[in-house]
């Protein structure tokens, strides 16, 4: 009898302990420099993110910040659903979205981290590297479909313009729609690939292609002054003037992104909803700090919290 009572009591205690452990809230153990966290990133910024994470992880070996590359709509949905507490996007949250996050007792914080450029890339065989924003709009809306209809390219023999983006929900496509087409219906001939690597490869191998891509994908890592780009493609000069010349056109180098002379610029944000000073907060501080901002410049973007060198250059 005593044995049965002892066995029953033991089972009861173990059961209560298991229930207690099951109902106990999970305690986070991450700090600003250690632990595990997830980070959502627009694929347009993969090169710069890989460099930032490599340095951050090297300085903080106990930190395990994993990256999930998503489209811009997926990123915004994830932070609104609270499945991610840190994202990198080419736009800030709207006031309505921030209010929604506050309604669940979280405080959204946005850190402007860099000024980015949208690069227009063409094949090396295409020597017509000047374009106006007016012609760019006409290309994107289908009013211009052939290279010889572009201003200054009347003698081009490349035929139809094949415009390629990184994916159907690309932030670069949204930028073109909002800032260049201004909401006008885009051409149904625009082509979406799977990612920026595919855009780069497609343009490098297609003489009549026009690729729309983030500037950090074409930055020349060996150029300490950030005045040149990868040699397998050409980066177009963009002008706000209807008659583009080398005097009124600019490429997306950091100095011209900073001054606003380059017409296709956008801000890059880190958005965080983490309610405490954990690993996501530590990464934001690193990114906005001196080391992180140097990496931003190295990637061909403009640091948001550090000065950029302005150098006068002359077209030869």
């Amino acid at each position: 009898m005593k044995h049965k009572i002892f066995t029953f009591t033991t089972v009861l205690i173990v059961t209560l302990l298991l229930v207690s452990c099951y109902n106990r809230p999970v305690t986070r153990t991450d700090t600003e420099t250690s632990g595990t966290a997830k980070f959502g990133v627009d694929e347009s910024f993969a090169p710069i993110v890989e460099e930032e994470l490599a340095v951050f992880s090297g300085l903080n070996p106990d930190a395990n910040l994993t990256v999930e590359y998503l489209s811009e709509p997926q990123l915004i949905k994830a932070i609104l659903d609270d499945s991610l507490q840190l994202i990198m996007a080419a736009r800030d949250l709207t006031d309505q979205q921030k209010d929604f996050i506050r309604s669940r007792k979280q405080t959204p914080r946005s850190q402007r981290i860099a000024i980015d450029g949208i690069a227009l890339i063409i094949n090396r065989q295409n020597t017509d590297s000047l374009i106006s924003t007016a012609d760019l709009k006409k290309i994107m809306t289908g009013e211009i479909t052939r290279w010889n209809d572009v201003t200054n390219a009347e003698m081009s023999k490349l035929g139809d313009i094949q415009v390629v983006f990184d994916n159907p929900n690309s932030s670069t496509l949204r930028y073109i729609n909002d800032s260049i087409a201004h909401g006008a219906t885009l051409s149904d001939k625009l082509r979406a690939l799977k990612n920026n690597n595919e855009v780069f490869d497609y343009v490098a191998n297609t003489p009549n292609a026009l690729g729309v891509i983030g500037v950090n994908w074409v930055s020349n890592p060996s150029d300490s002054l950030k005045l040149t780009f990868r040699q397998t493609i050409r980066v177009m000069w963009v002008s706000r003037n209807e008659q583009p010349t080398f005097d009124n056109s600019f490429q997306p180098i950091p100095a011209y992104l900073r001054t606003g002379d380059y017409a296709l610029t956008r801000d890059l944000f880190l958005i965080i909803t983490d309610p405490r000073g954990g690993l996501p907060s530590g990464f934001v501080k690193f990114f906005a700090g001196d080391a992180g901002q140097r990496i931003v410049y190295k990637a061909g973007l403009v640091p948001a919290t550090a000065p950029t060198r302005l150098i006068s250059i002359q077209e030869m």
Side-chain angles (χ1 to χ4, degrees):
M1 184 66 179
K2 289 182 180 181
H3 176 72
K4 291 182 179 180
I5 294 174
F6 176 78
T7 301
F8 174 77
T9 302
T10 302
V11 171
L12 179 62
I13 292 173
V14 170
T15 302
L16 290 173
L17 286 173
L18 290 173
V19 171
S20 176
C21 291
Y22 180 80
N23 291 327
R24 185 181 302 161
V26 177
T27 301
R28 285 180 52 181
T29 59
D30 62 306
T31 69
E32 290 190 350
T33 58
S34 67
T36 300
K38 289 195 299 182
F39 177 29
V41 177
D42 186 322
E43 197 264 343
S44 297
F45 309 110
I48 186 174
V49 168
E50 297 293 339
E51 290 193 52
E52 294 280 357
L53 282 176
V55 176
F56 181 75
S57 300
L59 294 173
N60 304 287
D62 294 327
N64 181 24
L65 190 60
T66 58
V67 181
E68 187 173 359
Y69 291 108
L70 301 169
S71 68
E72 186 176 84
Q74 290 174 322
L75 286 173
I76 301 302
K77 182 179 184 300
I79 203 162
L80 292 178
D81 290 347
D82 202 28
S83 57
L84 289 173
Q85 290 77 48
L86 175 62
I87 65 171
M88 178 185 287
R91 73 167 181 87
D92 197 359
L93 298 175
T94 65
D95 291 340
Q96 184 178 11
Q97 289 167 341
K98 291 178 181 179
D99 288 340
F100 175 78
I101 292 172
R102 292 189 187 101
S103 71
R104 62 170 184 249
K105 309 304 180 183
Q106 289 180 313
T107 302
R109 291 167 286 159
S110 300
Q111 173 72 55
R112 180 172 173 266
I113 210 71
I115 301 173
D116 178 39
I118 302 297
L120 304 178
I121 61 174
I122 54 179
N123 186 271
R124 294 294 298 178
Q125 295 182 39
N126 188 347
T127 58
D128 300 306
S129 58
L130 293 174
I131 193 168
S132 68
T133 53
D135 277 356
L136 179 61
K137 178 180 179 179
K138 292 176 181 178
I139 291 171
M140 296 302 165
T141 57
E143 186 176 346
I144 289 178
T145 60
R146 296 178 63 82
W147 279 108
N148 58 8
D149 291 328
V150 176
T151 304
N152 291 346
E154 292 87 354
M155 304 302 292
S156 176
K157 297 181 180 179
L158 292 175
D160 291 339
I161 304 171
Q162 296 186 23
V163 182
V164 288
F165 288 85
D166 50 342
N167 69 71
N169 295 309
S170 167
S171 60
T172 57
L173 181 59
R174 176 189 58 78
Y175 175 88
I176 291 295
N177 187 39
D178 293 348
S179 301
I180 299 301
H182 301 293
T185 302
L186 297 179
S187 171
D188 58 6
K189 293 185 178 180
L190 304 184
R191 182 179 176 186
L193 304 180
K194 293 182 179 179
N195 52 54
N196 284 277
N197 273 321
E198 287 197 3
V199 172
F200 196 90
D201 292 341
Y202 185 86
V203 172
N205 292 286
T206 309
N208 60 332
L210 171 63
V212 186
I213 199 167
V215 72
N216 67 127
W217 282 90
V218 297
S219 178
N220 183 353
S222 64
D223 180 4
S224 63
L225 296 181
K226 300 302 164 196
L227 302 180
T228 61
F229 302 95
R230 294 190 192 182
Q231 299 304 303
T232 54
I233 48 87
R234 294 182 189 273
V235 175
M236 299 194 79
W237 299 66
V238 181
S239 175
R240 292 185 175 90
N241 195 299
E242 290 190 4
Q243 186 66 42
T245 67
F246 282 112
D247 290 332
N248 62 30
S249 304
F250 301 89
Q251 287 185 307
I253 64 174
Y256 296 144
L257 297 178
R258 167 70 77 181
T259 61
D261 289 316
Y262 185 68
L264 311 179
T265 62
R266 60 183 180 175
D267 289 331
L268 175 57
F269 294 90
L270 284 174
I271 304 171
I272 184 172
T273 60
D274 189 30
R276 58 184 290 279
L279 187 56
S281 297
F283 184 68
V284 172
K285 287 182 179 180
F286 168 80
F287 212 133
D290 182 68
Q293 292 291 280
R294 288 179 184 274
I295 296 171
V296 168
Y297 178 73
K298 181 182 176 184
L301 307 186
V302 177
T305 61
T308 300
R309 299 168 64 184
L310 298 179
I311 300 173
S312 177
I313 60 173
Q314 185 174 3
E315 180 68 20
M316 299 300 291

